[in-house]
Structure formats: structure tokens, C-alpha cells
Amino acid sequence: MHAQRRIGRGVALVLGGVLVVAGLAGCARQADVDVRVGEDPAVESVHQASGKNDYQVTLKDSLDAGELAEASVRLAEMTKPDPGKENLFDFRSGEWQWSPSTDDERSQTLAEIVAALSDIEGVYDGAVGIGEDGEAQVWGTAAADIDPADLVEPIADAVEGAGLDSSAMYLSLTDLHERREIESRDGASLRPGLDIVAAAAGAGNVLSYTIDDDGVNVRMRTGADAAAAAPAIDAVAAASGVVPTVTSGLIAPDRSDPATVEAVNALLEPIEGVVAAREEWRSAQITVLMVTTADVDTALAVEQLLATSPAIQPYRSLQISVQSETEPGSRIVGLSTSDSGYVGSLAAAVQVADTEGVRSAIYTPSTMTVVLDEGADVAVIAEGLKAVALRDQEVEVYDSTPWGPRDCWARFEFLVKGKLHPDLFKGYADGAQEFVDAWNAAPGL
């Protein structure tokens, strides 16, 4: 779903300690069409998504279904691209977004689907489309603490209410952190999988699941959870004829020694605030143990626990994340290596994330990646980053729009060498001079 957001980019590079802020050339504006769109009575706001003149058009929440359909047709006509060019506008109403169609009937149908979906509670984010055969396409992310399985029937009812056949709908749903996923082009095939997952959840702790037209995969948190859920799962499977794949454990054994995985699982599974863990193989010599927690206190405790345990020794690096409570992804990520005793980066990431105006922070010995809240004070940000920066560390700073992080192209990007020396011209990265001045005036390094 998120791939539909053509979130664009502007770039700032530091070469030899010189911060160069660049806009993207060759992107002619569409005759100020964004200004005219912003003046439409149905439009709440227009935000530039990138240096490529992509725009995010947010419509007013007060529009009823008929007004939304009229506005969709009118704005689609207004933003129709020149022949051979891509349409650079996306529309949003409430939690749902869609790309305008040059076909008036399709534009109206899209708006009717959005209007029907807008009454559904428990949706963080969604997108709507129409397939080549006229079928509805719905991508959705469930809000925090909402199981995407609970959204299937309301979405199907909404699509039917908009006059389309829900059994022919393409549906893709996930929870906020992509551990529970549903995908289908055949609505009828989902029922057995949904029943199996419900049976498993009623008997034990479901860590993750995938339901699609080919089958069902359920991962329970522990072996005890899997054993407790087995009778209920087997009963539903026998009645439906669908045989699920059921596994257990925070970490699935991959190429690591099974004894290592068992030892790490034994340490982590009893900790309630640990919500996920996995291995990532980056080369034959580099393996990363990645642990996600629900809060900072748990993250710091897990770091200390693992850093002092022999179970960590087979891993080259330890990455600990604190997931966001309100949006997809992690708010804090710290990766430390065996060279530092698997500690250090998490504390720095926490410090950066606590800086006013920071939305999320990733910190490793060689990189620091920060996403800012919309309207963040870049001078405050510069001072906060410099306080924990390491010489020769690569820093990338991204910003946000009302639709979420603008995470495809950095607002500022530089290699830490001490002072920054700007070579600036007007472009995408507004506030660069202020950032540089604040960085150079701040203590550190």
C-alpha cells in the first residue's frame, strides 16, 4: 500500500565537510495547478511531497459522499497530466487516499468507495484503487491494537455499499507493524484462515500470522502457546479442509546454530515487553540479532541482559528497536557491535529521539538517520544531533508532511567532520543555513 505514495525527494550532500543543498532540476511546475487545486472549496490543504512536484491533496472532512464524488471528478480533471506524463497528485479524505483517474466515472466510483470506507473505525491508513476489470482494490493498515482480521468484514460491507462486488475485491491488510497480514483476491477463501487465527488467539499468544489465497501461517510466541492452541486449530482445520502451518518461538531457526536460537528465545520469551525478534544475515561473517520492544525501559533492560549473556557471542551486532505506539515502524533503533560490547548506540538513539521535534531516530556507529516532525525547529535538531554525533558518521535528516514521514529523500545529508561549511542555493532543503549555523555554534566533537 505504502508504495502507492509517490513521496518525493530533495537532496543535501556533504563533500569534504561542505554541506550542499540541492533541489531537483528539470521539474517544471504544472502551470501552478497546485495553487488552483488549493483554492478549490473542497480542499483542506496541498503539500508538496517532493522536489519532483508531487503533491498531496487533503480534502475537507466535512464533505458528504455526494460532495466527495463531485470534488473527486472536478479535481481529477483539474490535475489531469499532459499526454505522456504521470499524474503527480494524490488525494486523501480522512484515513483513505487514492490517485485521481482521467475517467470521470472511475473518479466518481473511487470517491464512493472512499466515502463508504470512511465510517470504519480502527484504520490507521488506507488506499483505494480500481483494477483493470473494474474490481475494487483496498490496501489498509490497522490502527494500534487493532487486528486487521477485524477489518475484513467492515471493508467488504463498505465495498458492497458502494455498489461493487466484494467477492471480486483485491484486499491487502496489515497491522501497524506488519506482523499480521491478510491478502486476497477471493474473499470467500479468507474465512477458514480467519477462523483458524481466531481459534489460535483464543488459546494462546499469537505472535504473527499471514492469511492469503494459498493458505495460512500462524506463529505462536512459545512452544507452550502452540501446544495449547493445537486442539482448537485442528478442529477448525478439519472442518474447513485448510491445513495451516503453525510454528512457534520469537526467532525462527535459520542458519544459526539451533542451540543459539533456543538460548536467545529462552532469554527473551518471558519478557512481556519484547514484541518481536529475528536474525538478519548480511554476509557469511556478519549476523545481526534484531529485537523489537514496546518501550524504552524494556529495550535498555534487554540490551543489558543480552550484552552480558554468552548467547549473544555468535552475533556480530545487536539491534534493539522501540516500536512506535501510534504509527508504523520504530521510534528508536540502536545498533551496536561486538566491538563495543553490544552497547552504546541504543542510549544515543534514545537521546536523539527525546530531542524536541524528532519523530524517530536510528543510530549505529557509522550512521544516524532522523525523521523530523512537521515544522520542527532545525536549530534545536542540529544541537541535539551534534551532542551524540561521531566523527565520520553519516547523518541523514528527513522531514514530514501531514500524511507521514517524507522518507524517500533526505532534507539534509552530511558526513560529520566537525564544522559544516554551507554552499547553499534555493532548493528543497529549506532551513539549511539555520541548521548549519546551529550545528557550528553547538558544543561537541
Side-chain angles (χ1 to χ4, degrees):
M1 178 193 74
H2 299 288
Q4 285 207 342
R5 299 181 184 175
R6 296 187 296 274
I7 298 178
R9 309 176 176 187
V11 62
L13 301 176
V14 167
L15 302 175
V18 177
L19 178 64
V20 183
V21 182
L24 296 177
C27 301
R29 295 173 65 85
Q30 295 188 3
D32 294 322
V33 66
D34 59 304
V35 175
R36 291 188 286 113
V37 168
E39 294 171 347
D40 189 278
V43 173
E44 180 69 32
S45 65
V46 179
H47 283 80
Q48 189 173 20
S50 76
K52 292 184 178 180
N53 288 345
D54 286 1
Y55 293 93
Q56 301 167 340
V57 182
T58 302
L59 304 185
K60 293 179 179 177
D61 291 338
S62 59
L63 301 179
D64 61 28
E67 292 169 332
L68 186 63
E70 290 176 5
S72 179
V73 172
R74 183 173 64 251
L75 292 169
E77 180 65 29
M78 191 183 301
T79 58
K80 193 175 291 185
D82 295 332
K85 293 187 177 181
E86 182 183 15
N87 199 317
L88 300 176
F89 288 79
D90 283 326
F91 300 158
R92 187 180 189 92
S93 176
E95 289 79 25
W96 298 93
Q97 69 181 71
W98 70 101
S99 295
S101 171
T102 54
D103 179 88
D104 288 354
E105 183 177 350
R106 182 164 289 209
S107 288
Q108 181 155 343
T109 301
L110 281 167
E112 289 171 353
I113 296 172
V114 169
L117 291 170
S118 63
D119 291 332
I120 298 175
E121 296 183 357
V123 176
Y124 167 79
D125 199 8
V128 174
I130 298 177
E132 293 182 0
D133 297 325
E135 76 279 10
Q137 300 173 323
V138 180
W139 297 260
T141 300
D145 302 322
I146 300 295
D147 192 319
D150 295 334
L151 299 178
V152 173
E153 289 189 11
I155 288 175
D157 291 343
V159 168
E160 291 282 348
L164 283 81
D165 181 5
S166 64
S167 66
M169 166 181 62
Y170 170 77
L171 179 64
S172 177
L173 297 174
T174 179
D175 70 333
L176 198 62
H177 298 292
E178 298 184 346
R179 297 187 193 107
R180 303 180 175 208
E181 299 180 280
I182 298 169
E183 184 176 22
S184 178
R185 295 183 181 277
D186 177 8
S189 71
L190 288 177
R191 186 72 266 164
L194 294 172
D195 290 342
I196 287 170
V197 167
N205 189 334
V206 175
L207 192 65
S208 62
Y209 67 73
T210 302
I211 304 173
D212 57 32
D213 296 335
D214 297 322
V216 185
N217 291 276
V218 182
R219 187 165 196 84
M220 309 299 291
R221 184 178 178 93
T222 68
D225 286 318
I233 292 174
D234 291 344
V236 175
S240 66
V242 174
V243 179
T245 299
V246 181
T247 55
S248 64
L250 278 169
I251 304 174
D254 188 7
R255 288 185 285 177
S256 287
D257 176 14
T260 296
V261 173
E262 183 178 353
V264 174
N265 276 334
L267 289 171
L268 297 179
E269 285 173 358
I271 303 174
E272 185 176 349
V274 174
V275 295
R278 65 185 179 90
E279 298 175 326
E280 182 171 295
W281 288 76
R282 297 184 178 174
S283 72
Q285 291 78 36
I286 300 178
T287 312
V288 183
L289 175 60
M290 310 173 81
V291 182
T292 303
T293 67
D295 57 81
V296 171
D297 289 344
T298 300
L300 294 170
V302 166
E303 180 185 59
Q304 290 303 312
L305 174 67
L306 292 174
T308 57
S309 170
I312 195 69
Q313 297 306 314
Y315 299 100
R316 178 69 179 86
S317 302
L318 171 63
Q319 176 178 301
I320 300 182
S321 307
V322 180
Q323 69 182 16
S324 171
E325 296 179 358
T326 58
E327 63 183 356
S330 295
R331 186 173 70 87
I332 298 168
V333 180
L335 183 146
S336 301
T337 68
S338 57
D339 294 339
S340 64
Y342 304 101
V343 298
S345 291
L346 179 60
V350 170
Q351 183 173 335
V352 172
D354 285 344
T355 301
E356 183 180 356
V358 171
R359 188 173 190 148
S360 65
I362 301 173
Y363 194 101
T364 81
S366 59
T367 63
M368 178 165 41
T369 304
V370 178
V371 179
L372 307 183
D373 292 325
E374 186 183 11
D377 185 336
V378 296
V380 173
I381 299 300
E383 184 175 348
L385 301 192
K386 190 175 182 182
V388 297
L390 302 174
R391 197 168 293 274
D392 295 325
Q393 194 174 37
E394 295 179 6
V395 178
E396 294 182 342
V397 180
Y398 299 82
D399 57 11
S400 300
T401 76
W403 290 20
R406 195 197 320 247
D407 54 4
C408 290
W409 202 286
R411 180 176 178 178
F412 311 126
E413 182 177 353
F414 57 95
L415 186 66
V416 177
K417 291 292 186 183
K419 284 196 172 184
L420 294 177
H421 304 285
D423 181 6
L424 300 172
F425 62 90
K426 243 181 181 179
Y428 168 67
D430 296 332
Q433 182 68 63
E434 186 179 2
F435 182 92
V436 169
D437 290 344
W439 176 281
N440 288 341
L445 298 177

